Amino acid sequence: MDFLDKLNPPQRQAVTAGAGPVLVLAGPGSGKTRVLTQRVAHLIANQGVRPWQILAVTFTNKAAREMDQRVQAMLGELATDGLWLGTFHATCARILRREAEHLPLASNFVIFDADDQVRLVKSAIRDLKLDDKAYRPLSIHGAISRAKNDLIFPEDYPTQTYRDEVIKRVYQHYQELLKQSNAVDFDDLLLWTAHLLSAFPAVREKYAQRFTHVLVDEYQDTNFAQYVLLNHLASVHRNLFVVADPDQSIYAWRGADYRNVQRFEKDYPDCLIILLEQNYRSQQTILDTAMAVIDRAPNRRRKRLFTERGQGEKVFYYESFDDYGEASFVVDTIASLVAAKTVEPGECAVMYRTNAQSRLLEEAFLQARLPYRLVGAQRFYGRREVKDIIAYLRLVHNPADEIALDRVINVPPRGIGDKTLLALHSAARAAGLSPGAAAMELSRDDQSPLWPQFSGRAVIPLADFGAMLTNWKAGASRATVSELFDRIVGDINYRAYIDDGTDEGAERWENVQELRRLALEYSPRTMDEFLQDVALISDQDTMAEGKNAPTLLTLHAAKGLEFGAVFIVGLDDGSLPHSRSFDDPESMEEERRLFYVGITRAKDRLYLLRALRRGSRGYTEETIPSRYLDDIPAALLSGKARTPRRGARAITPSWLRADAAPATAPELEYRAGMRVKHPIWGEGIVLNSKYQDNDETVDVVFESVGIKRLAASLAHLAIVK
């Protein structure tokens, strides 16, 4: 068919490969989706394979829909009738419903979502009379999930410690509760299907005979259960066609194992290996930067990424004085690029390692009155743990704040349920008090006239809460915002509540610490100011939403996306690579791959940023440059010279080297007192201008957004005569 004519030689080789196992090692932006789609179309149109004999597996519903639409566009809807195309979980659910007679399930089983699963673990812990503070439901659920991904049933769960014994008991009861509800969780879909194909040879033969061709996307992200499943399904015809990029394996925390690619080569020593190295997304300098980073990873098959899109601009490297300057640089540069019509706002993306890093960026966009989109997480001030602590501070500041009280009176859980809370509201209304004041009144124990209105079981936790609130209130006038913050967090033992030992728990605690940094800034200011500023920042109605806006997202969420201009912030040791990875070589290499993924999202412009100091006024820490920056040759970079890592050699751009010919600084274009006009922020007055970092740096005060420090070459300032 004519669609083959549009493929480059390696793509065409992959699409038209003959029988047997095929491993396609596809670099980023190399057209792997096109290869998978056209492989399906080629099998049907040119090889006489019936659609129902093909199983194509993806990792997301979006990818499955795109593939289905593309195949139908090439062949027509009728030509693809019967094709099995979907995610691993959807495919497994389909098989399990057909074969439920072999399993302790009815075919109309329900699938519990993530919240359902955690609630069920809580029920199992409660039924077993275990302490859910010592055995956090999220942590226990994570252990159960990992066991299922490794195809370990409850009876086979390994026990070396007492905690392992507890997990085994909870796992067993959890599965019993699922069975009682005729339900499965996401991991069960893989576990039961693998069990079905392993334990019932006739069933395995049935599906292995049916699917003469099995195609898999993102094979590097498969876990052990998925790896076993695929081998079973391809056990008869051995026509297993997988597309993978081990360099983009960044999901180990959810069970993905990039070593499955290596296992594939061992399991199928006769496999055809094809490298897709031509990139259709990025310019060559960006690809060279990406290769410089990833080529330092051990035990990998090297790819030489190339493009016909040209060399492109150098990667811009920027070191700010602090993280506020980092955020300002991002916003100012995006504003300048948009004003110059270099890129559309929606073509810009800002990427970071953890969600907590979005806070300063969000505030910088809001201050500049520029819209943005946040992907993969709530806005910082919308996150549960942030809202909890702000509610506590609001309640201490104003005990009449019923919304704040209702939010936190049982956070962390202290035995105050809905009925007790309703009784508190009723008693407070009858006494002419706010519920907060009523709780503080109950702290007087049986001396309070409200005491007899509650049962003994209900009144004790209310009185304890009221006593804490009374003490906080009494000390609030003498404490700074951060001191009160620390006291509340400590008194309620919030860290133990929010950090359950999982990566998600650690990230929630990082968000609390990020809020504390903001509180530290208000040491010389009042709680009124803090709460007012936070309320204004968190008011989502003040922020314009729209598709054509810069995107803020984590590096994990960036996989599969592409943008014209990419800003990667926080390139410090401890942030990227993250400090949690320091003691684990495997985790450190995944951090390297994460950086590689971020770099390869950029099409035309890439900005790498770090801050010399991070923290808030009054409490800052000096940072160390990310070790991965040392891998990037200076010839690929423009911008500021890199600060050396401790014990590491600084790599300085050639135009900043001491042996370079001295350059005469050009005459300054802007002078203090000049009126200038910015394309977005309007008119302002120049406060200062100087030649710095190979550019004129201008400080301007704008009526609309205050003082901004701008690079003259990017800012497009017009002098107002």
Side-chain angles (χ1 to χ4, degrees):
M1 296 186 71
D2 58 357
F3 61 75
L4 296 176
D5 297 335
K6 299 177 182 178
L7 301 174
N8 65 38
Q11 288 176 333
R12 187 184 181 96
Q13 181 188 11
V15 168
T16 60
V22 179
L23 171 60
V24 180
L25 295 174
S30 61
K32 67 180 180 61
T33 303
R34 173 191 291 184
V35 166
L36 274 168
T37 303
Q38 297 197 11
R39 171 72 172 176
V40 172
H42 172 72
L43 291 172
I44 296 172
N46 300 337
Q47 297 298 310
V49 179
R50 309 297 295 170
W52 52 266
Q53 294 178 302
I54 299 174
L55 170 63
V57 187
T58 66
F59 267 83
T60 66
N61 290 312
K62 178 184 176 183
R65 285 194 300 271
E66 288 180 356
M67 282 187 63
D68 191 41
Q69 291 167 0
R70 291 190 190 188
V71 174
Q72 288 188 22
M74 284 186 281
L75 301 181
E77 187 173 349
L78 292 178
T80 61
D81 188 39
L83 173 67
W84 277 43
L85 198 164
T87 64
F88 271 100
H89 292 93
T91 300
C92 289
R94 191 172 179 181
I95 292 174
L96 290 178
R97 293 195 192 281
R98 292 184 173 203
E99 309 297 338
E101 62 185 283
H102 301 288
L103 301 168
L105 296 167
S107 61
N108 63 341
F109 61 80
V110 295
I111 302 171
F112 278 5
D113 65 18
D115 289 339
D116 294 331
Q117 293 166 35
V118 175
R119 279 196 293 269
L120 202 64
V121 171
K122 288 180 181 178
S123 296
I125 290 172
R126 183 179 61 247
D127 291 349
L128 294 171
K129 296 181 170 49
L130 296 167
D131 182 359
D132 63 2
K133 293 183 177 62
Y135 303 102
R136 299 287 186 183
L138 273 174
S139 180
I140 298 294
H141 178 262
I144 293 172
S145 177
R146 288 190 292 274
K148 290 184 177 184
N149 286 334
D150 288 336
L151 301 181
I152 299 172
F153 280 91
E155 58 270 21
D156 300 319
Y157 191 86
T159 55
Q160 296 180 334
T161 66
Y162 179 70
R163 181 177 177 80
D164 293 338
E165 293 281 357
V166 171
I167 293 171
K168 181 174 184 174
R169 289 167 56 203
V170 175
Y171 185 7
Q172 288 172 325
H173 190 48
Y174 173 74
Q175 291 301 101
E176 291 168 2
L177 294 175
L178 282 170
K179 183 179 178 181
Q180 290 172 18
S181 300
N182 190 35
V184 296
D185 62 21
F186 297 137
D187 299 312
D188 278 331
L189 294 171
L190 304 177
L191 176 70
W192 283 117
T193 306
H195 171 73
L196 183 73
L197 299 178
S198 298
F200 299 93
V203 176
R204 178 175 66 246
E205 189 78 6
K206 172 182 173 181
Y207 288 95
Q209 284 285 3
R210 172 181 178 141
F211 297 126
T212 61
H213 290 270
V214 178
L215 298 87
V216 189
D217 193 13
E218 306 286 6
Y219 187 75
Q220 77 281 349
D221 290 334
T222 55
N223 59 32
F224 181 70
Q226 291 159 335
Y227 162 79
V228 170
L229 273 170
L230 292 169
N231 284 344
H232 282 318
L233 291 171
S235 59
V236 172
H237 299 286
R238 297 181 75 254
N239 293 326
L240 183 56
F241 183 99
V242 304
V243 179
D245 185 358
D247 295 336
Q248 293 191 75
S249 181
I250 57 174
Y251 299 122
W253 50 274
R254 68 184 190 196
D257 190 346
Y258 72 96
R259 289 170 298 188
N260 285 347
V261 177
Q262 299 169 357
R263 294 185 180 113
F264 184 94
E265 295 187 53
K266 292 180 181 177
D267 294 340
Y268 304 98
D270 58 332
C271 71
L272 174 64
I273 299 176
I274 301 169
L275 270 62
L276 301 186
E277 298 174 300
Q278 182 171 355
N279 180 285
Y280 293 90
R281 175 188 301 149
S282 306
Q283 294 183 323
Q284 192 62 50
T285 297
I286 293 171
L287 297 179
D288 291 344
T289 302
M291 286 187 289
V293 170
I294 202 63
D295 279 350
R296 297 293 295 272
N299 304 318
R300 58 178 289 273
R301 186 188 295 269
R302 287 196 172 194
K303 295 186 291 290
R304 305 311 306 169
L305 304 179
F306 69 94
T307 184
E308 295 179 355
R309 293 198 60 231
Q311 192 67 30
E313 297 182 1
K314 289 187 176 184
V315 174
F316 196 94
Y317 177 73
Y318 183 76
E319 280 186 351
S320 62
F321 176 77
D322 59 18
D323 39 7
Y324 291 87
E326 181 182 59
S328 293
F329 177 87
V330 169
V331 173
D332 294 347
T333 304
I334 289 176
S336 298
L337 291 172
V338 171
K341 301 189 183 306
T342 303
V343 295
E344 287 291 312
E347 274 286 285
C348 299
V350 189
M351 301 175 187
Y352 36 81
R353 176 62 177 83
T354 64
N355 283 314
Q357 292 172 272
S358 76
R359 198 262 295 180
L360 291 181
L361 292 162
E362 292 180 63
E363 291 184 7
F365 274 99
L366 288 169
Q367 185 182 18
R369 300 182 185 177
L370 295 177
Y372 66 91
R373 293 183 301 167
L374 193 66
V375 173
Q378 290 177 301
R379 290 182 177 85
F380 180 80
Y381 292 99
R383 294 168 192 159
R384 183 188 77 184
E385 55 276 13
V386 174
K387 290 171 73 87
D388 283 349
I389 302 303
I390 290 174
Y392 267 110
L393 292 169
R394 281 171 46 190
L395 186 61
V396 174
H397 188 62
N398 175 23
D401 187 336
E402 293 190 19
I403 299 298
L405 177 117
D406 288 353
R407 179 178 183 89
V408 301
I409 196 168
N410 200 41
V411 174
R414 50 178 64 92
I416 302 176
D418 292 340
K419 289 183 179 179
T420 302
L421 182 58
L422 181 61
L424 177 66
H425 276 269
S426 299
R429 277 196 301 271
L433 300 171
S434 70
M440 290 193 290
E441 169 64 24
L442 286 170
S443 70
R444 296 171 56 213
D445 297 340
D446 54 7
Q447 297 180 36
S448 168
L450 299 181
W451 188 271
Q453 300 182 41
F454 298 89
S455 68
R457 182 178 180 183
V459 76
I460 298 300
L462 284 175
D464 289 346
F465 180 79
M468 284 196 299
L469 184 54
T470 300
N471 290 333
W472 295 332
K473 182 70 177 170
S477 61
R478 302 185 301 275
T480 65
V481 177
S482 61
E483 288 169 346
L484 183 58
F485 183 109
D486 290 343
R487 185 172 178 186
I488 291 171
V489 170
D491 285 353
I492 65 175
N493 201 13
Y494 194 71
R495 181 171 188 174
Y497 167 65
I498 208 70
D499 187 354
D500 56 10
T502 64
D503 285 349
E504 292 83 357
E507 189 160 301
R508 286 192 293 270
W509 180 244
E510 284 179 7
N511 289 333
V512 173
Q513 292 299 96
E514 182 66 21
L515 182 64
R516 182 182 183 276
R517 289 181 53 203
L518 179 62
L520 275 166
E521 293 185 28
Y522 284 78
S523 293
R525 301 162 70 184
T526 66
M527 181 66 75
D528 268 328
E529 293 175 285
F530 175 80
L531 293 175
Q532 175 179 295
D533 289 351
V534 166
L536 290 174
I537 290 171
S538 63
D539 184 2
Q540 296 182 11
D541 293 333
T542 65
M543 182 170 53
E545 289 281 1
K547 293 184 178 179
N548 194 20
T551 300
L552 278 60
L553 72 171
T554 65
L555 288 161
H556 279 105
K559 185 160 173 218
L561 304 177
E562 59 181 40
F563 301 91
V566 167
F567 298 75
I568 303 178
V569 303
L571 288 173
D572 314 309
D573 261 20
S575 293
L576 185 71
H578 197 282
S579 57
R580 290 197 299 267
S581 303
F582 283 173
D583 296 330
D584 182 3
E586 285 284 342
S587 296
M588 287 295 287
E589 289 312 311
E590 178 155 320
E591 295 287 301
R592 179 187 296 278
R593 295 194 294 270
L594 197 56
F595 187 27
Y596 172 79
V597 166
I599 292 170
T600 55
R601 301 309 95 195
K603 294 193 290 187
D604 303 311
R605 286 175 173 78
L606 176 63
Y607 299 82
L608 305 180
L609 293 89
R610 66 172 298 267
L612 296 172
R613 295 167 181 80
R614 293 195 183 274
S616 58
R617 297 174 185 89
Y619 179 77
T620 59
E621 291 183 341
E622 291 189 4
T623 63
I624 302 173
S626 170
R627 62 196 69 192
Y628 303 142
L629 290 171
D630 288 345
D631 300 333
I632 304 173
L636 299 176
L637 300 177
S638 64
K640 282 194 174 181
R642 283 180 284 183
T643 299
R645 287 170 45 80
R646 290 170 192 164
R649 178 178 59 88
I651 304 176
T652 305
S654 58
W655 50 269
L656 283 174
R657 289 179 189 152
D659 57 356
T664 303
E667 184 179 350
L668 297 175
E669 184 177 359
Y670 303 96
R671 297 283 187 276
M674 274 186 176
R675 291 196 66 83
V676 293
K677 186 173 183 180
H678 187 273
I680 292 178
W681 299 318
E683 291 194 7
I685 298 175
V686 175
L687 298 177
N688 184 43
S689 185
K690 60 184 177 181
Y691 193 71
Q692 178 181 330
D693 300 329
N694 212 34
D695 199 353
E696 185 174 356
T697 301
V698 191
D699 293 335
V700 184
V701 58
F702 295 98
E703 288 185 11
S704 59
V705 293
I707 298 175
K708 288 287 183 181
R709 175 163 291 177
L710 307 171
S713 63
L714 299 173
H716 301 284
L717 292 172
I719 297 173
V720 179
K721 301 297 185 183

